[in-house]
Amino acid sequence: MSEKGEVDLTGAKQNTGVWLVKVPKYLSQQWAKATGRGEVGKLRICKYVSFTLNEELTVIEGIEDKTVSAPREHPFTMQSVGGQTLAVFTENSSDKIALEGVVVQRAECRPAVSESYMRLKRLQIEESSKPVRLSQQLQSPVTNNYKPVANHTYNLEYERKKKEEGKRARADKQQVLDMLFSAFEKHQYYNIKDLVDITKQPVIYLKEILRDIGIYNVKGTHKNTWELKPEYRHYQGEEKTDE
Amino acid sequence: MTSLGSSSSSATEYTVRVPKNTSKKYNIMAFNSGDRVNCSTWTQARMERDMSARRIYGEEEMQEGAAGSEFGKKQREEARRKKFGIVTREFKVEDQPWILKVNGKAGKRFKGQKKGGVTENASYYIFTQCPDGAFEAFPVHGWYNFTPLAKHRTLTAEEAEEEWGRRNKVVNHFSIMLQRRFREQERGEDDDDEGEKSGKKKKKGGGRGGDLRIHDLEDDLEMSSDDSDSSMGDDGESKTKAKKDTGKGKGKKKKKRKSNEEALEDSDDGDYEGLEVDYMSDDSSSDEEPEGKGKLSKGEDHPKGIDEASESEEESEEEKQNEEETKEEEEEEEGKKTPVQVEKKKKKDSSGESDSSDDSDIDGETASALFMKKRTPPKRGGGRGSAGSSRTGSRPGTPSIDSASTSNTLRAAASKLEQGKRQPQGPVTDSPAAKRLKMEPNSQSPAPSGKSTPQPPSGKSTPSSSDVQLTEEAVRRYLIRKPMTTKDLLKKFQTKRTGLSSEQTVNVLAQILKRLNPERKNVNDKMHFYLTE
């Protein structure tokens, strides 16, 4: 495990220089749509730096208007790093960290202002200014709930379920004890309701059995819960005595 | 970057690629410019996520199954939380800070905290140039600001608060961390000897300031010897050096304290007995007031008192008193002059080891201090008083003073003040403390009545250095102030206080009156004397 956490410093040693470029959201979206090798455009550097977006990437999805498209020309505004040291490190899918290099130049990618860009922006603004939640008035009141019925559907289902299950029958005491013991192996404290669910026994019968082998916690953190008597427990670190 | 930004006039075009299937996530590691971090100097680096926040987020996992667990506990807890609207934020590993260790154990350590909001509105891309001349752009996944971590010890929040409370008193700041280190050391050696440790700790705790605390002088002196043994090199030296400095200051204060102790104990001798609160007082109480106040504000009024004292007739006494007074003046000037401070010292003396919070309410404690002080001195004062009274034969001539002990100096000085100014309005410094002190002694006046001689309200036990003397000056002052009958005048110069018998008083008073030749007027069928100046 000495590999983990070890930073690969080759980039720093070589003093690899990189550029940090701030790119508008729509442009990065377009770049994500690039096909093939991922070519997105051309970077022209002379006295100024500018980026030209490839033709095929100017079509913006989701906007039907054909006159609205992403602009092609994007001049870069170059900025200096200042005194700040900005390093770039990468994280692998296998959690390997490597230092790729140091930022030597910062730049901002701006779109060349054009009509289509303005329209695009306008659409964007309209979309983002829509409130997330909207109150609407209904034309007519909702009428398909809370109608008076003879018996609600939920109740009907409930009663049907009950009938199907039938009253809980008292099973053999030994069986019930086995069930209880196995349940108490999993957890120490149980609510009476949960025990009834697990064992499917009538409450009174179950309580009788529980009174034999368990105790009822009235106060403390585990309030109103049943637990096995100490002599029946065999949790870790405790003595075991069977019934 | 070699071929970037070259000075080629013709434009060079590069293809920009955005690789699609990269498995690496790019992040920015930002350092502060002031830290002067140079990545090329790093020989070795380790970086891990700082998971210390996990235990805060993670619930206390009760044992799954078996002992101690309840059936359905988790669901119940969740339901409860939802009911109360408690929303617990998840612990996301992605958002945890990085811990970067550079150049091994002895090198620097950095903590990288994630900067939020970087990818919300705009995306950052890293452009690297490939060997084939094309650019590759990778999106930046996260931005982490790395700050250097302090390797030196720092104080915890509680300790910092304590030190803040003592910031005005602490001179030697080195000792703060030193003390803490000692404490930590001791805690480390806890296993060996509990008792010893507790004793040591107490001592060290006592001298914890190493600072200007008067009552800890002994502790600190002991400590300094201990420290030189166990301390580490320079630290020990600096500490002892600092101790010397503080010791000197303390020595000064100790001396002052001693002098104050002595002086105070004597002057406490039933002084404030019978002092009355009411400043708009009748004549009868005007005596007591100036007296008491004179005592309290003796610090400030010393120069005045001495000037006035020099006006009075007895020269021999003056000289002696002047000597002692100047001595006292020096001592007083070293410290502070307000009565409050005097009371503060009193308090420190009486309450052996007071707590270290010097910002505590002093006023509130002066009363208690006074009470404590009063219990002890009255006995002594009584004894001395009777001796004193037996000593003086003739009164107005020479109020003899215990020349041997400086203990009477304060009282002497105060008495001079009394002679000096019999003004009805009290001394200049009417501080509330003084006022309260008067109130306290007033309530106490019945208490120390166990004295042998029933003391006059002014509480002076020795008429020799009494406050009231039957002098022409005194009478003149009274008469200028307001018209008085002979009876009033006599009341002023009570026999107990002046030390004269009633016959003598009458005689002397008559002589004085003859000399003064005051004007007379009849008020309420009584003959009043008065003077106009």
Side-chain angles (χ1 to χ4, degrees):
Chain A
M1 271 305 175
S2 62
E3 284 289 328
K4 185 177 188 320
E6 196 69 38
V7 178
D8 177 15
L9 290 173
T10 46
K13 292 215 177 79
Q14 291 167 4
N15 246 332
T16 326
V18 297
W19 284 14
L20 179 67
V21 184
K22 194 173 182 182
V23 171
K25 254 302 192 260
Y26 73 90
L27 193 60
S28 62
Q29 280 166 1
Q30 297 304 101
W31 285 2
K33 291 194 224 123
T35 56
R37 282 187 64 201
E39 272 202 31
V40 290
K42 295 226 182 316
L43 193 66
R44 189 181 302 119
I45 300 174
C46 53
K47 281 210 196 75
Y48 56 89
V49 180
S50 99
F51 170 75
T52 314
L53 187 60
N54 277 351
E55 182 72 41
E56 62 265 21
L57 290 172
T58 52
V59 181
I60 299 179
E61 249 180 52
I63 297 181
E64 295 78 25
D65 194 349
K66 284 292 180 263
T67 56
V68 178
S69 64
R72 290 201 66 193
E73 283 296 319
H74 298 85
F76 271 25
T77 320
M78 307 307 279
Q79 294 154 359
S80 81
V81 182
Q84 210 181 11
T85 314
L86 293 170
V88 179
F89 71 96
T90 54
E91 213 183 330
N92 243 342
S93 46
S94 58
D95 285 337
K96 188 88 178 49
I97 302 171
L99 206 66
E100 296 293 328
V102 179
V103 173
V104 291
Q105 189 78 249
R106 284 184 78 155
E108 260 183 44
C109 180
R110 300 209 164 153
V113 179
S114 65
E115 265 302 313
S116 64
Y117 177 67
M118 285 307 179
R119 271 176 253 135
L120 170 68
K121 270 293 150 194
R122 187 185 176 158
L123 279 172
Q124 274 182 0
I125 290 171
E126 278 174 5
E127 203 177 295
S128 63
S129 62
K130 276 190 214 149
V132 178
R133 297 191 176 101
L134 192 63
S135 313
Q136 251 184 340
Q137 191 179 28
L138 295 171
Q139 303 302 87
S140 57
V142 179
T143 52
N144 53 348
N145 55 349
Y146 298 131
K147 283 208 187 111
V149 287
N151 202 353
H152 292 281
T153 45
Y154 172 71
N155 279 350
L156 285 170
E157 282 204 31
Y158 185 68
E159 276 161 28
R160 195 179 39 74
K161 199 161 70 81
K162 280 280 156 128
K163 256 197 217 144
E164 177 196 329
E165 270 184 24
K167 295 217 171 154
R168 297 196 187 89
R170 290 190 184 197
D172 202 11
K173 182 157 177 187
Q174 196 55 43
Q175 279 179 314
V176 176
L177 280 171
D178 284 339
M179 277 195 276
L180 283 175
F181 282 131
S182 57
F184 275 110
E185 256 170 46
K186 291 197 215 99
H187 299 273
Q188 188 178 357
Y189 300 100
Y190 276 91
N191 214 345
I192 186 64
K193 290 200 195 113
D194 299 325
L195 285 173
V196 166
D197 267 339
I198 295 173
T199 59
K200 307 238 182 305
Q201 302 292 299
V203 184
I204 311 163
Y205 181 51
L206 191 59
K207 271 198 188 163
E208 275 179 23
I209 299 177
L210 276 175
R211 242 174 256 133
D212 271 341
I213 60 161
I215 45 176
Y216 187 62
N217 282 314
V218 183
K219 350 179 227 205
T221 55
H222 310 277
K223 223 175 353 157
N224 306 329
T225 54
W226 283 92
E227 62 172 344
L228 283 181
K229 284 194 183 147
E231 55 264 26
Y232 293 108
R233 290 185 220 154
H234 56 277
Y235 300 126
Q236 253 181 355
E238 290 191 26
E239 290 291 312
K240 170 179 169 151
T241 39
D242 248 338
E243 176 194 358
Chain B
M1 302 301 273
T2 51
S3 57
L4 256 187
S6 50
S7 53
S8 55
S9 52
S10 63
T12 36
E13 278 208 358
Y14 304 91
T15 324
V16 178
R17 282 198 301 268
V18 177
K20 307 212 81 190
N21 51 351
T22 175
S23 57
K24 288 202 281 194
K25 289 198 197 132
Y26 279 70
N27 301 287
I28 297 281
M29 188 191 283
F31 294 96
N32 214 357
S33 58
D35 298 334
R36 309 248 183 273
V37 176
N38 192 358
C39 297
S40 47
T41 60
W42 296 353
T43 52
Q44 177 231 27
R46 290 187 67 91
M47 190 149 88
E48 280 166 345
R49 291 274 184 193
D50 176 16
M51 299 293 211
S52 57
R54 192 198 280 272
R55 54 185 165 77
I56 301 174
Y57 274 107
E59 296 113 16
E60 297 148 22
E61 291 295 327
M62 307 196 11
Q63 251 186 324
E64 291 287 333
S69 74
E70 259 186 53
F71 181 77
K73 178 116 180 137
K74 270 205 187 136
Q75 289 95 317
R76 237 193 296 242
E77 279 295 321
E78 224 181 281
R80 211 176 119 263
R81 281 221 200 88
K82 277 205 189 131
K83 179 170 96 177
F84 291 124
I86 301 170
V87 179
T88 40
R89 275 179 295 176
E90 276 181 41
F91 175 84
K92 287 187 225 143
V93 184
E94 276 286 303
D95 294 343
Q96 298 311 304
W98 290 102
I99 298 279
L100 169 68
K101 297 172 205 163
V102 178
N103 294 342
K105 195 104 206 298
K108 293 202 193 120
R109 302 185 80 196
F110 295 90
K111 179 165 176 177
Q113 271 154 339
K114 188 163 187 177
K115 179 168 145 179
V118 171
T119 49
E120 268 170 20
N121 295 320
S123 336
Y124 281 96
Y125 278 79
I126 296 286
F127 278 44
T128 54
Q129 196 168 39
C130 299
D132 65 347
F135 278 89
E136 282 197 339
F138 302 97
V140 167
H141 195 75
W143 185 300
Y144 294 87
N145 288 322
F146 278 75
T147 51
L149 288 179
K151 285 184 142 181
H152 52 268
R153 301 285 186 91
T154 51
L155 298 175
T156 65
E158 290 123 13
E159 290 170 353
E161 280 201 38
E162 281 179 34
E163 296 299 330
W164 174 256
R166 296 190 295 155
R167 67 192 184 285
N168 289 324
K169 298 218 108 196
V170 171
V171 168
N172 177 25
H173 292 282
F174 292 122
S175 64
I176 297 173
M177 293 311 292
L178 216 64
Q179 299 288 349
R180 188 165 177 265
R181 260 180 241 135
F182 278 132
R183 257 177 277 144
E184 280 181 6
Q185 261 183 17
E186 288 166 13
R187 263 178 235 136
E189 301 155 5
D190 207 342
D191 321 314
D192 303 350
D193 197 348
E194 291 279 334
E196 188 190 7
K197 190 207 93 168
S198 64
K200 241 173 125 184
K201 212 179 190 179
K202 222 196 314 175
K203 239 200 309 179
K204 302 234 189 270
R208 183 160 41 106
D211 310 315
L212 294 177
R213 260 186 289 146
I214 296 175
H215 55 279
D216 274 345
L217 179 58
E218 295 77 17
D219 287 357
D220 284 335
L221 288 181
E222 284 174 9
M223 268 268 313
S224 57
S225 58
D226 279 352
D227 289 346
S228 51
D229 295 341
S230 63
S231 67
M232 30 245 175
D234 292 342
D235 289 343
E237 278 178 21
S238 72
K239 194 168 161 41
T240 44
K241 191 162 54 122
K243 280 226 180 305
K244 250 196 287 176
D245 293 338
T246 63
K248 203 165 33 135
K250 268 199 211 131
K252 238 164 100 173
K253 286 207 164 132
K254 195 172 186 182
K255 181 179 79 157
K256 167 156 181 35
R257 173 173 53 143
K258 226 178 230 128
S259 74
N260 271 351
E261 260 177 358
E262 295 167 345
L264 287 174
E265 276 167 16
D266 283 338
S267 67
D268 268 353
D269 188 10
D271 273 347
Y272 310 121
E273 259 189 314
L275 279 182
E276 293 179 28
V277 185
D278 190 11
Y279 290 136
M280 336 281 236
S281 55
D282 294 333
D283 303 341
S284 52
S285 59
S286 63
D287 272 353
E288 291 84 18
E289 273 184 351
E291 258 175 39
K293 286 185 205 160
K295 244 170 257 6
L296 293 169
S297 55
K298 55 191 164 315
E300 277 209 14
D301 292 325
H302 267 179
K304 262 200 279 175
I306 288 175
D307 286 343
E308 284 167 339
S310 60
E311 288 172 18
S312 76
E313 51 277 19
E314 288 80 10
E315 298 210 343
S316 59
E317 142 199 351
E318 267 174 37
E319 285 172 1
K320 256 197 245 164
Q321 280 191 331
N322 273 345
E323 280 175 22
E324 285 151 345
E325 265 167 29
T326 47
K327 218 197 308 177
E328 223 187 71
E329 221 185 324
E330 284 168 7
E331 293 169 340
E332 278 291 332
E333 274 167 5
E334 276 181 1
K336 304 188 184 124
K337 289 183 185 271
T338 62
V340 182
Q341 286 302 330
V342 170
E343 302 318 318
K344 184 178 177 184
K345 298 224 168 10
K346 272 197 213 166
K347 159 203 155 212
K348 284 210 165 144
D349 298 336
S350 54
S351 66
E353 184 185 294
S354 63
D355 57 340
S356 61
S357 63
D358 298 298
D359 296 340
S360 62
D361 187 11
I362 293 171
D363 279 346
E365 286 173 289
T366 44
S368 59
L370 264 186
F371 278 124
M372 284 158 70
K373 269 253 164 256
K374 274 188 167 347
R375 298 290 171 196
T376 45
K379 272 194 296 210
R380 294 169 47 201
R384 213 187 302 130
S386 45
S389 55
S390 63
R391 224 184 324 160
T392 16
S394 64
R395 235 259 72 232
T398 52
S400 63
I401 299 174
D402 275 345
S403 52
S405 67
T406 57
S407 55
N408 273 332
T409 46
L410 255 173
R411 192 185 306 142
S415 71
K416 289 260 85 156
L417 286 172
E418 261 313 298
Q419 293 170 28
K421 29 170 224 138
R422 297 292 176 119
Q423 284 107 17
Q425 66 273 17
V428 183
T429 58
D430 255 359
S431 60
K435 191 168 180 178
R436 209 176 300 139
L437 282 164
K438 269 187 268 307
M439 290 174 69
E440 252 73 63
N442 274 342
S443 62
Q444 264 225 335
S445 51
S449 56
K451 282 204 204 145
S452 47
T453 53
Q455 297 294 333
S458 68
K460 262 300 153 220
S461 52
T462 56
S464 57
S465 53
S466 80
D467 316 321
V468 182
Q469 284 198 13
L470 184 42
T471 64
E472 181 176 331
E473 191 59 40
V475 175
R476 179 200 295 276
R477 232 181 289 118
Y478 282 127
L479 293 181
I480 287 175
R481 198 174 122 217
K482 94 177 215 185
M484 300 175 77
T485 64
T486 47
K487 213 173 179 179
D488 290 346
L489 282 172
L490 278 171
K491 248 193 273 179
K492 287 289 186 197
F493 302 108
Q494 289 182 6
T495 60
K496 300 287 161 29
R497 296 173 64 183
T498 61
L500 308 168
S501 70
S502 45
E503 257 191 9
Q504 282 175 318
T505 317
V506 171
N507 285 342
V508 174
L509 191 59
Q511 284 174 16
I512 292 175
L513 283 175
K514 252 189 235 153
R515 261 181 282 161
L516 283 179
N517 207 4
E519 326 229 327
R520 306 158 186 237
K521 79 173 176 195
N522 244 331
V523 176
N524 297 342
D525 289 342
K526 289 214 186 123
M527 179 67 64
H528 282 67
F529 296 112
Y530 67 102
L531 281 171
T532 53
E533 289 280 17

